[in-house]
Amino acid sequence: MTNFSMLVVLLTRVDVDRVTMIITARAACILVPTFIQSPGARLLKYYILPVVTAAVNDVLTHLTQNRLSTFLGGHFQDVNLSSVLYTHHIDSSHHVDLQVWSAPGLTKPSFHEAMKQEFKPAKKGDSFGPSWTNHWWKVTLKIPSYWQQYDRVQFEFDPGCEAMIFSTDGVSLQGITGGYGGDRRVEYIIPSQAVRAGRYAVVIESSCNGMFGVPWDGDIIAPPDMNRYFQLASADLVVPDQDAWHLMWDFATLREIVDTVPGNTALQNKALVTANKIMNAFTSGDPENIKRLRGIAEDVFGKGWYAKGDKIYNEGPKKAQVVWISYCHIHTAWLWPYSVIQQKIARSWSTQIDLMERYPEHRFACSQAQQFKWLEEQYPPLFERIKKKVASGQFHLIGGSWVENDGNMPSGESLVRQFLYGQRYFESRFGKRCETAWLPDSFGLTAAYPQLIRDAGMKYFFTQKLSWNNINVFPHSTFNWVGIDGSQVLCHMTPVDTYTAQATVGDVNKGITTHKNLESDATALLVFGNGDGGGGALPKMLENLHRIRATTNEHRELPSVSMGSSVEEFFADIEETSKEGKTLPVWKGELYLEFHRGTYTSHGSIKKGDRKCEILLRDVERVATLTSLLKPKGHSYVYPKRAIDECWEKVLLNQFLPGSAIGMVYDDADKLYAEVRGVCTGLLEDAFSVLLLRSSPLLSNPTSETLVAFNATSFARHDVTKVPLSRNATRMKAQVIQTSADGKHGYALMHSVGNKVASQPVGMSSICMPASVFTNGMDHFVLRNANVQLTISEGRISSLIDVRLGRELIPKGSSGGLVIFEDRPHYWDAWDVEIHHLETATQLSFSQTQVKYGSSTIDVTVPTMKGNSRSCFNFDAVVDWHERHKFLKFELPLNINNTYATYESQFGFVQRPTHKNTTLDAAKFEVCRHKFTDLSEYGYGVAFLSESRYGFACEGNVLHISLLRAATAPDAEQDQGRHEFSWAVMPHVGSFLESDVPMAALIYNSPLHGQLGFSDVMQATSSHLFHSRLEGAPNIFLETIKRGEDDSEPNASCTTVILRMYEAFGGHGSVKLHVGEHVPVKRAYVTNILEDTKGELGLVSTTGAHSTLKLDFRGFEVKTVNSKLVLETEESDSDISVISPTMSSKRDSWVTVDEEL
């Protein structure tokens, strides 16, 4: 059988299995059975044939490949490569002196504060905690003199948690990640001069949390264990064998090549043979042996590759297919509170600076201006080191935003401020702005982004989260992303499907093998480094990249890689090779993530806090701007820019949170929202006291005579306002239309004219259409006015009628109301809601105005007619919520047919399917919207309005608004307790595009600001308070009125006012902007959202005290006519070129949209 001659073997069946096993294992043969009959027994005749050589090789390759795993660690660590990684290792108290001070409670003292405390002796093996506490160590090292002969001496400090090493004068040197995970880094290289001196000292701050917090049972999303203790596992002086470590990295790369490159290729075979040779030739205890083994590795990496250092990237292909950039994604808060992230930033970034000193090719990209500001405030020496690295081109600024914010729920103006505050911060500290927008981990992205990115001075965009889609695979890697207004940016979603790549051969290979647009551009950006909890790149990653590049210089089975360039250079190369994007595919509209849909509803308090603060800041800026312009002569009022900026920064910070963090984070966020509300309330009172002399807040002075309210919208409206009444407030009582039963409060009907900010009380008129309520008992109520009628029968909404048309809007046999679902995601609890939850609906019925379910109580005020200019039914809910894994919604079936529903998004709307024709349609069973959702057909529609809910859906003809969830991870008490929120149902004649739904939604979210005063002063001052207002196309909305960013009184050379408008319905429009009375304008300019001037606008007229500008808009265009309004009483020279108001700049590239000033 040794010469593989064909043999014939006769076997009985009982012998077949045994003989087959022997023959195939030892003789590399196969058995081909043929049945024959013979006297006395039924036999099998087997032809023994030689196995094909490839099959033999496969067997041997597999065995050899498995063998490679035994060369490091494991059962043979005493005799394999692990046994020679260290030459010396000492941990005696004589050589390592430790002293510790534990900060009290959860305090986080600075370095200088800690150094003033009394330290006590400590030793290796000590435990410290509990979770989130901070402990400071003074470490004094005595280094044996004979260690001067070695290339490197290290101090290894493993507290089992995160830590930071400082110099003795407080400079952050490097982060530490303890434990034995893939992000472990516990070594600190002692400077050579200290080794020669024989003595060295450092200070270490250790924090009792891991890279991913302190999850209770080790599951990353489990609630935190608040009583975790950590043990100091090592505090050792060591001498690493540098040759052995480099051999370890050589071998690791060879193994990755073997595991990644397809079998039976030259490179894969050579790597396997080379690794096997190294294992065969290894002997411990012989330093020269290690050097010889490294020489064997050159069979794959090339002769003399190591001596070339970072110059290895200058050889081989001139253009790499995979471009590497180091990055450290740090969740601004997640499984840790804000205080901890500030430490994570310092640890991570100081580590990257350390790596830059040793690896000249290392480039680190970093976003989030808020994180830089924290560093600037809390770690000034480290911040100065970073500034130098930015200047040297090693530390790259990306993103241009304040934080890597959620891409769905912040308002349009908030997204503007993310870029405004982010870009201005980067420019003020580093002298440059970012050119690439960067949101790798946002749970979906609004289609408003391309326009805002472009207007923030960027034209490139990087993301990757859509790789997490759980239904459809996103079809592109590199493409043009076109927004709702037609603006577009060049977008790259890394084919590696992560922003925390580990710089492996597999990562490199995936960059091309999973690239979806190789026909358009065959390059990929590979973003590597530990992230989410920080850390960034590790030395082993940079070492691996060296070896991968050396390999691709010699072989072609792997994509070529490069290091040392910037993100912008990567995008610019694509722009050039794709003929300015003309050869790239196009994706138009939102980037909807088919995952984490539950975050639209999780932690409702954050959603409410964000919406209320966004509206409040808008109002403060309008009132403060008006006050600064119209203040009495000689008054000292100054526009409170610093206070407003601080409030905005707090709101923008919280917009990192989609709803999936631990409870501690939301405690912090709620405090920030409370601070913003308190400051903004004070700023409004300060402004009103100047604008409306002798006035006071609505509830503070019931003896005042006159009521006036500030309308922060640009729309006419009627509102019912509650006012206090005193016994002798005769004049005030005359201004209300109804008094409470106890006589302590009255209800005034306020009327706002669209071009005035002041609302005045009026009496009942023919346009008011008062509501009436009828009942035939406890379970049947009818609420109606002259327009609409709603019936609640047996606890459900059984009828909704347009009275004027006589049209029933609820299908026969259907009903609306509260509904609750089972809510048990596959894994990501606070993040996800799965499509199968829709199969578990339980309808809830009112008992009068209350619903009891489980341990929860839901009080819903029987629908009332909302007190504004539109007829709608308002629902006010007070919920005492104590459910687990339940999902509360409100639903309403409608006798309306359309394949699409309309949802408000930032600066416009998006239409999404009401059907499940395709998997793309079916995936959108839960979506995000802002202030309204509308289902319309020709001639009629119904809208849902909301003041703080973001999760919505429309399935067929049933509208849903998501109200509350009850996840238990990572916050075990998510949304438990009391909630107050409102929503409204608004029928309207005409389709959505014929309706005033966006105006109604804006008013619904914009309460009047009531003031009390005395009639002579109030009438005199309120009569001239005009808005800057729009005349013409009703689809143009005035969103923002504020003072200019550079317009800080009293030293500014001119007074500037920013006015931001947008087109809300998706069509063109032309308007005249009338700047308010007593604000004469000399010049006006169009700017971008960063307030850089684009060109001068011509004034249409300046008759009397009014100034008028003519403006043209395309669909969904955002226009910051900011315009640098220069008052006639002031002089301001400008060298900006004048552009005709009707001129359009020529489309000069794929990323430019025609601008109409």
Side-chain angles (χ1 to χ4, degrees):
M1 295 175 62
T2 56
N3 61 0
F4 295 130
S5 299
M6 183 181 297
L7 299 179
V8 177
V9 182
L10 297 180
L11 301 171
T12 64
R13 278 189 177 277
V14 295
D15 294 325
V16 169
D17 291 339
R18 180 174 62 84
V19 176
T20 299
M21 180 173 63
I22 294 172
I23 293 176
T24 55
R26 296 186 180 180
C29 297
I30 59 174
L31 305 181
V32 181
T34 302
F35 289 98
I36 62 173
Q37 297 289 338
S38 64
R42 185 169 185 262
L43 300 178
L44 290 176
K45 180 169 69 173
Y46 276 77
Y47 290 93
I48 305 176
L49 301 176
V51 176
V52 178
T53 302
V56 176
N57 289 342
D58 286 344
V59 173
L60 296 178
T61 297
H62 182 70
L63 292 174
T64 306
Q65 191 169 343
N66 286 344
R67 181 198 184 201
L68 302 185
S69 65
T70 66
F71 192 49
L72 189 69
H75 181 68
F76 303 105
Q77 62 182 338
D78 293 337
V79 293
N80 62 18
L81 183 59
S82 295
S83 66
V84 298
L85 291 177
Y86 294 96
T87 304
H88 296 290
H89 188 289
I90 55 177
D91 61 358
S92 68
S93 59
H94 173 73
H95 291 95
V96 181
D97 180 71
L98 299 173
Q99 294 186 349
V100 67
W101 171 72
S102 298
L106 300 183
T107 59
K108 192 183 71 173
S110 67
F111 175 89
H112 296 291
E113 291 170 338
M115 291 305 96
K116 298 175 183 177
Q117 309 305 317
E118 183 176 347
F119 284 65
K120 63 180 182 180
K123 64 182 183 303
K124 181 177 172 178
D126 285 351
S127 294
F128 48 98
S131 305
W132 311 118
T133 56
N134 295 289
H135 306 265
W136 289 82
W137 308 77
K138 290 183 177 179
V139 181
T140 303
L141 305 172
K142 294 182 180 178
I143 305 165
S145 58
Y146 70 92
W147 282 16
Q148 296 180 32
Q149 65 181 302
Y150 299 112
D151 293 336
R152 178 177 296 182
V153 176
Q154 295 177 176
F155 175 57
E156 294 195 350
F157 186 84
D158 183 1
C161 58
E162 291 191 281
M164 167 74 89
I165 298 179
F166 293 85
S167 66
T168 53
D169 57 354
V171 177
S172 306
L173 300 177
Q174 177 198 304
I176 289 289
T177 304
Y180 293 92
D183 49 15
R184 174 182 172 86
R185 189 187 184 189
V186 299
E187 74 282 359
Y188 171 71
I189 301 172
I190 298 174
S192 57
Q193 62 269 29
V195 175
R196 291 191 295 269
R199 190 177 182 88
Y200 190 61
V202 293
V203 175
I204 300 176
E205 178 198 32
S206 64
S207 302
C208 291
N209 58 270
M211 188 66 79
F212 291 91
V214 282
W216 182 264
D217 57 3
D219 184 350
I220 187 175
I221 71 168
D225 177 358
M226 300 301 289
N227 197 38
R228 176 81 57 83
Y229 278 73
F230 295 84
Q231 186 179 59
L232 182 59
S234 65
D236 307 341
L237 273 171
V238 302
V239 175
D241 185 321
Q242 287 294 91
D243 286 327
W245 277 84
H246 282 284
L247 177 62
M248 180 186 71
W249 289 324
D250 291 345
F251 195 83
T253 304
L254 292 173
R255 279 197 65 192
E256 290 177 7
I257 293 172
V258 172
D259 293 341
T260 302
V261 176
N264 204 33
T265 60
L267 176 58
Q268 201 254 14
N269 287 339
K270 179 171 283 192
L272 180 60
V273 168
T274 302
N276 194 49
K277 282 183 180 179
I278 290 173
M279 290 188 69
N280 290 337
F282 172 76
T283 59
S284 60
D286 180 6
E288 293 303 314
N289 172 255
I290 300 296
K291 291 183 173 64
R292 289 193 295 272
L293 299 185
R294 293 211 65 204
I296 295 174
E298 290 184 343
D299 290 347
V300 172
F301 302 142
K303 295 297 182 183
W305 75 272
Y306 180 72
K308 298 172 184 177
D310 63 302
K311 302 299 188 296
I312 196 74
Y313 291 101
N314 297 335
E315 299 183 358
K318 292 184 178 180
K319 180 179 178 180
Q321 292 175 279
V322 179
V323 177
W324 291 84
I325 189 73
S326 173
Y327 171 63
C328 175
H329 182 66
I330 308 181
H331 286 334
T332 300
W334 181 31
L335 305 176
W336 45 83
Y338 286 136
S339 60
V340 171
I341 195 61
Q342 295 155 6
Q343 297 167 305
K344 284 178 172 285
I345 296 164
R347 296 179 197 123
S348 302
W349 296 2
S350 62
T351 295
Q352 300 313 304
I353 290 178
D354 172 65
L355 291 176
M356 290 172 190
E357 303 295 338
R358 291 188 281 133
Y359 298 90
E361 77 279 10
H362 180 43
R363 298 294 183 269
F364 179 66
C366 196
S367 66
Q368 306 193 79
Q370 170 68 86
Q371 296 187 0
F372 284 87
K373 184 175 182 180
W374 277 332
L375 206 71
E376 180 183 15
E377 294 171 342
Q378 299 182 26
Y379 300 89
L382 177 57
F383 186 76
E384 291 302 315
R385 295 177 69 197
I386 288 173
K387 288 178 69 174
K388 292 178 181 178
K389 292 300 181 182
V390 171
S392 70
Q394 293 172 282
F395 203 110
H396 296 170
L397 308 177
I398 53 173
S401 60
W402 192 247
V403 298
E404 288 183 8
N405 53 278
D406 176 80
N408 288 309
M409 287 172 278
S411 69
E413 187 62 28
S414 286
L415 296 184
V416 168
R417 301 306 173 97
Q418 288 284 353
F419 288 135
L420 175 67
Y421 283 81
Q423 289 283 50
R424 289 182 68 88
Y425 179 87
F426 287 129
E427 187 172 29
S428 66
R429 299 323 193 264
F430 304 103
K432 62 176 68 178
R433 294 176 179 175
C434 303
E435 299 177 36
T436 301
W438 188 275
L439 289 172
D441 198 29
S442 293
F443 301 163
L445 297 154
T446 170
Y449 256 128
Q451 179 178 195
L452 301 181
I453 290 170
R454 292 301 310 281
D455 219 31
M458 299 177 281
K459 58 181 180 180
Y460 306 137
F461 180 58
F462 176 85
T463 187
Q464 72 82 41
K465 197 65 178 184
L466 266 66
S467 67
W468 284 45
N469 278 3
N470 66 352
I471 296 179
N472 299 284
V473 176
F474 189 78
H476 305 306
S477 296
T478 305
F479 58 98
N480 298 323
W481 181 24
V482 180
I484 53 175
D485 75 309
S487 297
Q488 54 190 33
V489 293
L490 172 56
C491 182
H492 183 69
M493 292 188 185
T494 174
V496 188
D497 294 341
T498 183
Y499 48 81
T500 59
Q502 297 298 293
T504 65
V505 175
D507 291 332
V508 172
N509 199 53
K510 191 176 181 181
I512 297 302
T513 58
T514 63
H515 198 299
K516 303 181 183 72
N517 304 110
L518 291 176
E519 76 289 349
S520 302
D521 182 82
T523 59
L525 184 66
L526 205 157
V527 180
F528 73 98
N530 292 316
D532 289 339
L538 294 175
K540 65 179 181 181
M541 299 177 186
L542 298 173
E543 293 287 350
N544 208 32
L545 289 177
H546 270 186
R547 289 156 176 82
I548 295 172
R549 177 64 189 215
T551 302
T552 60
N553 287 348
E554 301 291 325
H555 307 273
R556 294 294 176 264
E557 289 93 333
L558 281 175
S560 55
V561 300
S562 70
M563 276 280 289
S565 59
S566 68
V567 173
E568 285 72 29
E569 288 171 324
F570 168 78
F571 276 107
D573 182 68
I574 294 176
E575 186 176 354
E576 179 181 353
T577 58
S578 65
K579 300 179 180 179
E580 294 187 312
K582 293 181 177 65
T583 63
L584 296 177
V586 173
W587 183 270
K588 189 167 186 177
E590 66 178 331
L591 295 176
Y592 175 82
L593 176 64
E594 298 174 2
F595 211 47
H596 293 355
R597 305 168 184 89
T599 57
Y600 311 147
T601 306
S602 294
H603 273 289
S605 65
I606 297 304
K607 275 68 174 177
K608 185 170 184 176
D610 189 60
R611 176 76 63 81
K612 299 302 183 184
C613 286
E614 287 174 337
I615 297 295
L616 195 54
L617 277 165
R618 180 205 65 187
D619 294 356
V620 166
E621 289 180 334
R622 288 196 178 197
V623 175
T625 298
L626 195 60
T627 304
S628 67
L629 298 175
L630 301 180
K631 64 187 178 184
K633 187 174 182 179
H635 199 285
S636 61
Y637 181 85
V638 175
Y639 183 80
K641 186 177 188 309
R642 176 174 295 181
I644 291 173
D645 286 345
E646 290 175 353
C647 288
W648 264 117
E649 288 179 7
K650 292 174 182 178
V651 172
L652 299 178
L653 168 60
N654 279 349
Q655 287 175 347
F656 180 88
L657 307 172
S660 51
I662 61 174
M664 294 174 71
V665 172
Y666 297 104
D667 293 339
D668 290 345
D670 286 337
K671 290 176 183 176
L672 292 179
Y673 285 134
E675 291 171 7
V676 171
R677 288 192 296 269
V679 170
C680 286
T681 299
L683 293 178
L684 284 173
E685 292 177 3
D686 291 343
F688 283 135
S689 69
V690 177
L691 199 61
L692 301 171
L693 295 176
R694 296 168 57 195
S695 67
S696 58
L698 187 61
L699 301 178
S700 64
N701 186 11
T703 62
S704 298
E705 300 175 336
T706 301
L707 171 66
V708 68
F710 186 91
N711 174 22
T713 76
S714 301
F715 305 114
R717 59 194 289 189
H718 285 86
D719 286 80
V720 175
T721 300
K722 184 179 180 180
V723 298
L725 297 176
S726 61
R727 291 182 179 179
N728 56 356
T730 304
R731 186 176 180 85
M732 183 62 68
K733 290 180 180 179
Q735 299 174 66
V736 303
I737 58 174
Q738 186 174 334
T739 304
S740 63
D742 58 10
K744 294 182 179 180
H745 295 91
Y747 298 90
L749 180 62
M750 308 298 293
H751 176 57
S752 304
V753 178
N755 65 338
K756 288 189 177 182
V757 300
S759 298
Q760 304 287 349
V762 296
M764 297 293 288
S765 66
S766 60
I767 66 171
C768 290
M769 294 177 291
S772 57
V773 180
F774 307 92
T775 180
N776 65 354
M778 299 298 293
D779 61 354
H780 191 85
F781 299 87
V782 178
L783 176 66
R784 66 171 291 160
N785 69 5
N787 279 341
V788 289
Q789 173 181 301
L790 182 142
T791 301
I792 296 179
S793 181
E794 297 181 351
R796 302 286 296 173
I797 299 173
S798 58
S799 175
L800 176 59
I801 297 175
D802 184 302
V803 174
R804 293 183 184 274
L805 298 179
R807 174 172 176 169
E808 174 62 65
L809 297 171
I810 294 183
K812 185 177 181 180
S814 300
S815 68
L818 295 174
V819 59
I820 201 162
F821 300 84
E822 298 293 329
D823 187 11
R824 299 170 186 169
H826 297 162
Y827 176 70
W828 298 97
D829 199 355
W831 293 260
D832 285 345
V833 56
E834 307 292 353
I835 193 169
H836 50 69
H837 87 283
L838 298 171
E839 303 168 8
T840 65
T842 300
Q843 292 184 341
L844 305 180
S845 298
F846 295 104
S847 175
Q848 295 187 11
T849 64
Q850 191 175 84
V851 177
K852 291 279 191 178
Y853 181 85
S855 302
S856 302
T857 303
I858 306 167
D859 289 293
V860 181
T861 301
V862 174
T864 57
M865 305 303 293
K866 179 64 178 176
N868 58 34
S869 308
R870 286 84 178 162
S871 292
C872 63
F873 297 95
N874 187 60
F875 296 78
D876 293 318
V878 178
V879 184
D880 187 21
W881 186 244
H882 297 286
E883 301 309 306
R884 304 289 181 177
H885 298 120
K886 302 291 184 181
F887 200 165
L888 179 66
K889 301 185 182 185
F890 174 85
E891 66 178 10
L892 193 66
L894 296 168
N895 190 18
I896 293 174
N897 181 37
N898 199 331
T899 55
Y900 291 91
T902 303
Y903 303 82
E904 189 194 33
S905 63
Q906 297 87 343
F907 296 127
F909 63 82
V910 60
Q911 291 185 314
R912 301 180 177 114
T914 61
H915 53 77
K916 300 177 182 177
N917 286 355
T918 69
T919 54
L920 286 171
D921 301 328
K924 296 179 180 179
F925 60 85
E926 183 81 5
V927 297
C928 182
R929 65 73 133 159
H930 282 218
K931 296 184 288 293
F932 69 80
T933 296
D934 185 87
L935 181 63
S936 295
E937 61 186 18
Y938 173 77
Y940 209 90
V942 174
F944 278 8
L945 313 181
S946 171
E947 44 77 55
S948 63
R949 307 291 101 172
Y950 289 83
F952 279 78
C954 185
E955 185 178 10
N957 66 332
V958 182
L959 278 176
H960 296 265
I961 175 172
S962 299
L963 303 176
L964 285 170
R965 295 187 68 222
T968 58
D971 180 5
E973 300 299 318
Q974 179 193 299
D975 284 318
Q976 299 298 297
R978 182 182 174 88
H979 298 265
E980 296 183 14
F981 47 84
S982 302
W983 69 94
V985 176
M986 179 182 147
H988 58 84
V989 175
S991 67
F992 168 75
L993 293 179
E994 300 170 297
S995 75
D996 60 355
V997 169
M999 297 81 154
L1002 185 59
I1003 291 173
Y1004 188 80
N1005 281 267
S1006 304
L1008 295 174
H1009 297 281
Q1011 289 289 111
L1012 296 173
F1014 297 92
S1015 58
D1016 55 341
V1017 177
M1018 299 293 272
Q1019 291 177 4
T1021 56
S1022 64
S1023 60
H1024 68 269
L1025 298 184
F1026 282 84
H1027 267 300
S1028 293
R1029 62 186 178 88
L1030 300 176
E1031 177 188 350
N1035 52 324
I1036 311 301
F1037 287 12
L1038 178 57
E1039 173 76 5
T1040 299
I1041 302 174
K1042 62 183 282 290
R1043 294 293 295 270
E1045 288 297 304
D1046 297 319
D1047 191 18
S1048 55
E1049 295 181 85
N1051 299 321
S1053 60
C1054 64
T1055 299
T1056 63
V1057 177
I1058 309 300
L1059 300 109
R1060 190 155 19 254
M1061 293 150 282
Y1062 71 98
E1063 195 286 319
F1065 282 84
H1068 282 68
S1070 180
V1071 294
K1072 291 181 179 179
L1073 171 63
H1074 300 289
V1075 181
E1077 190 175 0
H1078 307 293
V1079 188
V1081 178
K1082 185 177 181 180
R1083 299 189 188 98
Y1085 303 90
V1086 171
T1087 73
N1088 60 20
I1089 62 174
L1090 304 182
E1091 301 180 16
D1092 302 323
T1093 300
K1094 292 180 177 179
E1096 186 172 349
L1097 284 166
L1099 295 173
V1100 175
S1101 65
T1102 55
T1103 57
H1106 294 275
S1107 298
T1108 301
L1109 305 169
K1110 183 179 180 298
L1111 304 169
D1112 295 317
F1113 289 77
R1114 66 178 182 272
F1116 298 126
E1117 180 183 5
V1118 178
K1119 192 183 290 286
T1120 306
V1121 165
N1122 147 19
S1123 20
K1124 290 189 178 176
L1125 300 176
V1126 184
L1127 301 190
E1128 287 185 351
T1129 56
E1130 299 166 309
E1131 294 296 329
S1132 176
D1133 295 329
S1134 174
D1135 58 356
I1136 299 170
S1137 60
V1138 178
I1139 300 177
S1140 168
T1142 59
M1143 183 181 296
S1144 297
S1145 59
K1146 183 179 178 181
R1147 184 186 299 268
D1148 57 5
S1149 78
W1150 60 275
V1151 288
T1152 300
V1153 173
D1154 291 342
E1155 299 279 2
E1156 293 181 349
L1157 300 180

